[in-house]
């Protein structure tokens, strides 16, 4: 079981290092030397979320920091940095995860006193 936990942790590290890329279940499973079905089961059991949910959540959490802190970057630029092909798809994913659009999030964060 410890070997599986190490594999999952290694996969999480891989995801963190490659947030600007399109990360597939096939890539992660191949990297862990497991079938994609077995990898997905292990990952979901360990994290209580699917691989896709984990990747999306991490991308949204990390990109939210840029949205709030880097007014010099457009939402489109941030979307590209996190592996999205367009701002619309990124904005939909952001809103679903964060409860508001990236623009509204930026405004809300920048309106708060420091």
């Amino acid at each position: 079981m410890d070997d599986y936990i190490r594999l999952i942790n290694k996969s999480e590290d891989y995801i963190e290092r490659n947030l600007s890329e399109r990360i597939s279940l096939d890539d992660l499973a191949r990297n862990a030397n497991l079938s994609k079905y077995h990898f997905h089961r292990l990952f979901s059991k360990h994290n209580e979320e699917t691989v896709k949910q984990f990747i999306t959540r991490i991308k949204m959490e990390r990109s939210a920091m840029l949205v709030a802190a880097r007014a010099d970057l457009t939402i489109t630029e941030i979307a590209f940095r996190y592996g999205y092909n367009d701002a619309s798809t990124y904005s939909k994913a952001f809103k679903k995860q964060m409860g508001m659009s990236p623009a509204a999030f930026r405004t809300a964060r920048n309106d708060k006193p420091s």
Side-chain angles (χ1 to χ4, degrees):
M1 191 58 146
D2 285 342
D3 289 338
Y4 288 144
I5 292 171
R6 268 195 292 283
L7 282 175
I8 298 303
N9 289 338
K10 182 181 169 188
S11 297
E12 290 172 351
D13 291 343
Y14 175 86
I15 291 167
E16 289 271 358
R17 286 190 314 273
N18 293 284
L19 290 175
S20 65
E21 305 299 321
R22 187 176 187 295
I23 304 166
S24 74
L25 176 60
D26 288 332
D27 295 335
L28 293 170
R30 191 173 26 258
N31 193 37
N33 241 1
L34 298 170
S35 76
K36 66 181 181 180
Y37 304 105
H38 189 57
F39 178 81
H40 192 267
R41 270 193 310 274
L42 289 172
F43 191 94
S44 297
K45 182 178 178 184
H46 178 73
N47 285 306
E48 298 182 5
E49 61 189 341
T50 66
V51 172
K52 183 178 179 181
Q53 289 168 333
F54 180 84
I55 292 169
T56 301
R57 180 176 59 80
I58 296 300
K59 283 186 176 197
M60 293 304 107
E61 288 173 358
R62 300 304 179 273
S63 69
M65 290 186 249
L66 278 184
V67 169
R70 297 283 309 270
D72 60 313
L73 295 174
T74 68
I75 301 303
T76 302
E77 289 170 323
I78 294 170
F80 290 154
R81 282 189 182 199
Y82 284 89
Y84 287 85
N85 293 328
D86 60 76
S88 176
T89 305
Y90 169 74
S91 292
K92 286 178 190 173
F94 190 97
K95 186 172 184 176
K96 183 175 181 181
Q97 186 72 35
M98 306 303 280
M100 64 180 74
S101 70
F105 186 85
R106 177 175 276 171
T107 301
R109 292 293 181 203
N110 291 332
D111 285 348
K112 288 186 177 182
S114 301

